Structures are given as structure tokens and as C-alpha cells.
């Protein structure tokens, strides 16, 4: 069985997939443009997520989007953005990008004080741009560049590397540390952030629905392209051009 | 009267020549501002009128795109297997699909601000990337990059990427899959079928 057929098999059983993944050698994978040996599992999870999204998550996000005035939305986004700057400082430092880490630390200090606990993004107004980094990107910079794609319900698209990165990100995320104070507060904050992020994606729903021949493949390839862009801080090397 | 007409025609010729010779960053800025100006005033487009958005993109954006190059990029290595006629059909179908995608993105516009990142090019460059950023309060800025190439007819865009996601190469795996299943003709049919279903959505919206 060639790797190609293996990768393309839409409804292969999980056992077959795991066996297939073990058979596939590194070189067979390298010939494939997309690193997705768990495609059967991923497509099943994608379908579960689409179902959850349609019946529950998207309607809640739409209601939230409808009732929340723009200044409040901006405040919520800025608040969680400020929390994320903790992660950015940490991961910029781990990647040796010390000047970026310094800027993000400055952002954190300014927004947490003058910006009233992060409700206003004063630092951006002052021209201090955020450098978005997470532990998945740090692992990539440390050498784990290529990683198999995984799709999780609720969490959405990831790779094996980024799934590990996410676990570390949760451990270093101040929102989750609210557990020391109050479980209810923490849960409310995590839920609010989840719905806020989903709501911010509402305008792109129709774009993806109408653009994709195969929505799963479109979402997967978009995620992998976006991560590559993030890992190279916005300027990834160009892929070869067939016309050249 | 005749003299005035000649002067006018001459002025228009000069203007179009000037546009063709325009620097790529100035071209991107001019087209972006022109399109956003129209969207800002058009409540229909802001409320998701896809037909009007498609017309706007057709009129203002399409002339600056090189769809043949875009299609070749999206198809990848299979492009060489296609006959000139198949290449033409592919380009025509992919153009329709991309215009639709681009128009849908426009209807999501809600007073965001577009910022143009610093641009540098050497005098002899024939391929450049113009970087822009869409800013919105409370959201991460979204990076939009345009890849342009210099042709006889002026600078033309051959790739657009949003947040690092190329709207063009994101199709490569899906297109490769169609080619493996049904050859180049199978791919042409698949994109045409997609376009037809989208046209159905448009007609339904028109009927409302």
C-alpha cells in the first residue's frame, strides 16, 4: 500500500491508520505535500466539531456578537490580549528574541497599569507592537519544525507539536491560574474567551464555506500555512513557483 | 469641440500609461483605498450583498490580477500536464471562485483600518511583496500580503495571503486530489460545479 493511498483513504479504521502510520517511513512522508497521517481520525473529529459548532457554539457566539457593543468587545479582546502578553514574554525569551521579549514586557506593564488591568491596549497606541509567540512556536524554533496534523473537537486544528505546546501554554496562562482564587471565576473567564474568539471568527465562516472544495482540507492547509507564517514571524521563505 | 476631445483622449492615455508604470506599493494602496471608499459608502455590501461585492471586485480589482499565474500556483506541478486549452478553462473557473472568495471577505468589512507596512525595492526588481495590515480594536491585526510581478502591462498581483495563508496555494492539496481522481478535466469539472452551486446561492439571495 503506497503512502498516497493511505493518506487519501477517507474512512480508514483507526487501527489501520495507526498501523499505516507506523509503516510509513520518513521518506514516504516527505514526498507528501501535507503531513496528515491521521487523516481518518482527524476527519471524524472535524465532523464532530462541525456538529457541535452548528448546534451550540456558533449560535452562542452569534448571540454574544449581537448583544455586545463594540467598545465592550474591544475591552474583552484587549483584556485577554494583555493576559497573552505573559505568554509572549516567556516564549520570546525561550526563543532568544530578547528585544521582542522586552517590548512585550513593556506592553504588559503599560497595559496592566495605564491600560487599567488590560482593558485598554494603550501600548499599541504608543506603537509597541505585540510579538505573538506560543510554546508550539518555541518548539518549532528549537528544531521541531514539521509535525503531523491533528484535529481536536472544541480545540480545533493543531499538530502533534502544537498539542504539546498548548498544554504548556495552559500551564503558563494566568487565566487558568485563577483556579487558586475561584473555580467559578476561572471557568467564566475561560468560557468568555472561548466565545469571544469564536465570535471574532464569524465573518470568515462564509469565506471558508464558499471557498473550499473540501472544507476539512481547506481548514487544515490554512492552519499549517498560518503556523509556518507565525514560526517565521511573518516572513516565511517562499515556496517554489512552478512557472519559474 | 474636436480639439477638446483629442486633448481628453490624450490625457486619458497618459493617465493609463502612468497607472501602468506606477510603483507596486502605490498601486496596492490606490486600489485598496478606492475599494474601501466604495464599501464604506455602500450599506448593501456591508450587509452582505454578494452580487454587488462581486461586481465591485470585477470592476476595480480584477484588472490588476494575473489569473493565469495564480491558477498555475494553485495547481502546482500538474499545471504542466494541462493542455493550453485546459489551462485556459482552469484559469477561467478558478478566477470565478477567487473573485467570489475575495468578495465574501469584503462583505465582512466593518470600519477596520488598513496600514501599509514600509516597502523597499531595488530598481531592477520584477517580483515584490507589498505588506499591509488590517487593524481592528480588540482584535489581533491581520497581515495581508500581495505578491506582484512586473509584466509589460504593468505590475500584476499573482498571490494574496491573509494572516500568512495564501488564498492561492491553499488549494494545492485539494486540486491535486481532484487531478488524481479525475485528471485535469476532473479538476475543471470540480471547480465548475463549485462555482455553479455558489451561483445558486447568489440567485437565491437576489430573490429575497
Amino acid at each position: 500500500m503506497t503512502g498516497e493511498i493511505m493518506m487519501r483513504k477517507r474512512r480508514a479504521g483507526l487501527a489501520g491508520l495507526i498501523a499505516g502510520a507506523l509503516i510509513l517511513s520518513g521518506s514516504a512522508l516527505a514526498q507528501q505535500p501535507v503531513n496528515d497521517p491521521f487523516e481518518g481520525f482527524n476527519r471524524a473529529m472535524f465532523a464532530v466539531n462541525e456538529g457541535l459548532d452548528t448546534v451550540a457554539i456558533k449560535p452562542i457566539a452569534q448571540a454574544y456578537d449581537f448583544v455586545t457593543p463594540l467598545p465592550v468587545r474591544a475591552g474583552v479582546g484587549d483584556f485577554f490580549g494583555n493576559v497573552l502578553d505573559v505568554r509572549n514574554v516567556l516564549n520570546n525569551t525561550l526563543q532568544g528574541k530578547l528585544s521582542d521579549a522586552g517590548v512585550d514586557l513593556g506592553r504588559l506593564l503599560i497595559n496592566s497599569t495605564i491600560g487599567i488591568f488590560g482593558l485598554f491596549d494603550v501600548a499599541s497606541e504608543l506603537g509597541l507592537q505585540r510579538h505573538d509567540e506560543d510554546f508550539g512556536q518555541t518548539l518549532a524554533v528549537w528544531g521541531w519544525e514539521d509535525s503531523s496534523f491533528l484535529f481536536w473537537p472544541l480545540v480545533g486544528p493543531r499538530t502533534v507539536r502544537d498539542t504539546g505546546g498548548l498544554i504548556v501554554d495552559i500551564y503558563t496562562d494566568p487565566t487558568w491560574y485563577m483556579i487558586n482564587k475561584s473555580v467559578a471565576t476561572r471557568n467564566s473567564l475561560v468560557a468568555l474567551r472561548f466565545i469571544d474568539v469564536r465570535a471574532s471568527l464569524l465573518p470568515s465562516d462564509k469565506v471558508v464555506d464558499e471557498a473550499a472544495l473540501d472544507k476539512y482540507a481547506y481548514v487544515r492547509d490554512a492552519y499549517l500555512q498560518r503556523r509556518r507564517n507565525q514560526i517565521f514571524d511573518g516572513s516565511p521563505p517562499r515556496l517554489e513557483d512552478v512557472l519559474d | 469641440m474636436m480639439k477638446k476631445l483629442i486633448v481628453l483622449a490624450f490625457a486619458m492615455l497618459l493617465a493609463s500609461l502612468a497607472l501602468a508604470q506606477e510603483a507596486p506599493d502605490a498601486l496596492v494602496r490606490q486600489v485598496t483605498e478606492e475599494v474601501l471608499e466604495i464599501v464604506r459608502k455602500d450599506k448593501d455590501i456591508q450587509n452582505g450583498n454578494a452580487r454587488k461585492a462581486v461586481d465591485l471586485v470585477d470592476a476595480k480589482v480584477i484588472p490588476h490580477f494575473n489569473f493565469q499565474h495564480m491558477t498555475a500556483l494553485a495547481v502546482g506541478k500538474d499545471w504542466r500536464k494541462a493542455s493550453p486549452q485546459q489551462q485556459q478553462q482552469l484559469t477561467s473557473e478558478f478566477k470565478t471562485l477567487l473573485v467570489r472568495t475575495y468578495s465574501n471577505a469584503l462583505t465582512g468589512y466593518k470600519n477596520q483600518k488598513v496600514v501599509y507596512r514600509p516597502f523597499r525595492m531595488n530598481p531592477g526588481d520584477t517580483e515584490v511583496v507589498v505588506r499591509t495590515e488590517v487593524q481592528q480594536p480588540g482584535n489581533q491585526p491581520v497581515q495581508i500580503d500581495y505578491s506582484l510581478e512586473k509584466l509589460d502591462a504593468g505590475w500584476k498581483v499573482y498571490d494574496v495571503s491573509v494572516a500568512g495563508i495564501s488564498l492561492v496555494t491553499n488549494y494545492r492539496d485539494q486540486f491535486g486530489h481532484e487531478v488524481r481522481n479525475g485528471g485535469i478535466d476532473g479538476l475543471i469539472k470540480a471547480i465548475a460545479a463549485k462555482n455553479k452551486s455558489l451561483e445558486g446561492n447568489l440567485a437565491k439571495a437576489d430573490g429575497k
Side-chain angles (χ1 to χ4, degrees):
Chain A
M1 182 181 273
T2 66
E4 196 155 280
I5 296 168
M6 193 66 227
M7 305 278 271
R8 284 288 149 216
K9 214 167 176 185
R10 296 271 141 108
R11 292 201 187 98
L14 188 56
L17 269 165
I18 293 169
L22 292 175
I23 293 164
L24 284 171
S25 67
S27 66
L29 276 174
Q31 284 160 17
Q32 291 299 324
V34 179
N35 185 352
D36 191 7
F38 311 113
E39 185 170 346
F41 169 81
N42 290 338
R43 280 189 185 272
M45 292 303 115
F46 182 75
V48 169
N49 197 58
E50 290 281 286
L52 282 175
D53 190 65
T54 310
V55 300
I57 303 163
K58 190 173 175 179
I60 296 171
Q62 282 170 324
Y64 169 82
D65 188 54
F66 183 73
V67 301
T68 319
L70 194 61
V72 178
R73 282 293 302 279
V76 171
D78 286 343
F79 175 78
F80 288 119
N82 187 48
V83 170
L84 282 187
D85 275 334
V86 175
R87 186 183 84 187
N88 294 335
V89 173
L90 180 74
N91 284 287
N92 272 307
T93 309
L94 290 175
Q95 294 174 31
K97 297 169 185 165
L98 295 182
S99 72
D100 288 353
V103 171
D104 289 332
L105 183 62
R107 287 180 49 87
L108 187 64
L109 295 176
I110 292 170
N111 283 343
S112 302
T113 52
I114 306 170
I116 315 175
F117 303 114
L119 288 176
F120 300 93
D121 185 0
V122 182
S124 284
E125 305 283 333
L126 293 175
L128 294 176
Q129 292 293 322
R130 169 176 292 138
H131 305 89
D132 220 5
E133 301 288 357
D134 52 64
F135 198 66
Q137 292 184 60
T138 300
L139 289 173
V141 169
W142 287 354
W144 189 359
E145 273 188 49
D146 193 32
S147 179
S148 300
F149 183 72
L150 281 177
F151 196 98
W152 302 108
L154 298 179
V155 171
R158 286 289 184 278
T159 57
V160 174
R161 178 198 65 219
D162 292 340
T163 304
L166 177 69
I167 294 167
V168 174
D169 288 339
I170 288 174
Y171 270 97
T172 56
D173 179 348
T175 314
W176 289 87
Y177 276 103
M178 300 280 179
I179 193 170
N180 296 331
K181 298 198 173 115
S182 146
V183 175
T185 310
R186 180 205 64 182
N187 289 351
S188 310
L189 282 174
V190 170
L192 174 62
R193 177 164 62 183
F194 182 77
I195 292 302
D196 187 64
V197 168
R198 181 64 188 88
S200 71
L201 294 172
L202 286 172
S204 48
D205 280 5
K206 193 180 170 206
V207 178
V208 175
D209 278 339
E210 296 210 330
L213 295 187
D214 170 0
K215 193 174 175 186
Y216 166 78
Y218 197 90
V219 168
R220 175 196 61 200
D221 295 353
Y223 175 78
L224 294 175
Q225 277 203 67
R226 187 171 141 262
R227 288 302 279 174
R228 188 165 174 272
N229 185 60
Q230 287 176 323
I231 290 162
F232 287 99
D233 293 333
S235 326
R238 255 206 104 71
L239 296 170
E240 73 170 312
D241 191 335
V242 282
L243 287 189
D244 289 342
Chain B
M1 181 64 197
M2 198 59 201
K3 209 172 174 184
K4 263 189 187 166
L5 271 180
I6 292 171
V7 171
L8 185 68
F10 199 68
M12 278 166 69
L13 181 71
L14 277 181
S16 66
L17 278 177
L19 200 65
Q21 298 305 320
E22 199 169 20
D25 57 328
L27 177 72
V28 167
R29 184 189 288 251
Q30 179 220 323
V31 173
T32 306
E33 292 303 326
E34 199 180 350
V35 168
L36 287 186
E37 190 57 34
I38 295 172
V39 176
R40 270 185 208 117
K41 287 180 187 152
D42 196 320
K43 288 275 174 271
D44 290 342
I45 293 179
Q46 288 173 32
N47 290 329
N49 185 326
R51 178 80 72 188
K52 273 187 112 169
V54 167
D55 289 346
L56 173 62
V57 172
D58 263 333
K60 298 291 179 192
V61 182
I62 294 316
H64 305 291
F65 279 17
N66 177 1
F67 279 104
Q68 170 120 4
H69 192 172
M70 283 181 150
T71 313
L73 262 184
V75 174
K77 60 182 183 346
D78 292 325
W79 178 253
R80 299 235 175 264
K81 288 191 217 151
S83 69
Q85 199 208 344
Q86 284 174 320
Q87 292 185 348
Q88 209 181 343
Q89 281 175 300
L90 272 176
T91 304
S92 153
E93 294 296 347
F94 190 49
K95 176 179 171 179
T96 308
L97 184 60
L98 267 188
V99 166
R100 189 58 192 270
T101 310
Y102 212 84
S103 314
N104 275 331
L106 268 189
T107 58
Y109 176 82
K110 284 198 180 67
N111 281 312
Q112 291 93 338
K113 198 169 87 182
V114 178
V115 174
Y116 302 86
R117 304 261 300 274
F119 177 76
R120 263 200 329 258
M121 70 177 282
N122 300 318
D125 282 351
T126 55
E127 280 184 36
V128 296
V129 178
V130 176
R131 297 173 186 282
T132 70
E133 206 174 79
V134 178
Q135 298 181 340
Q136 193 181 8
N139 278 339
Q140 283 279 68
V142 180
Q143 170 194 353
I144 301 188
D145 295 343
Y146 300 86
S147 302
L148 296 99
E149 60 188 334
K150 194 175 188 181
L151 303 178
D152 293 339
W155 288 94
K156 300 286 171 192
V157 174
Y158 67 92
D159 196 1
V160 180
S161 83
V162 179
I165 304 159
S166 158
L167 297 183
V168 174
T169 59
N170 210 51
Y171 281 103
R172 216 174 252 186
D173 185 72
Q174 292 166 77
F175 283 6
H177 178 63
E178 298 294 342
V179 171
R180 279 195 291 282
N181 280 349
I184 299 288
D185 283 328
L187 173 60
I188 296 171
K189 255 188 229 153
I191 310 175
K194 177 79 193 176
N195 286 333
K196 212 170 168 200
S197 79
L198 295 178
E199 187 54 39
N201 291 355
L202 264 189
K204 245 187 282 168
D206 286 345
K208 262 197 284 196

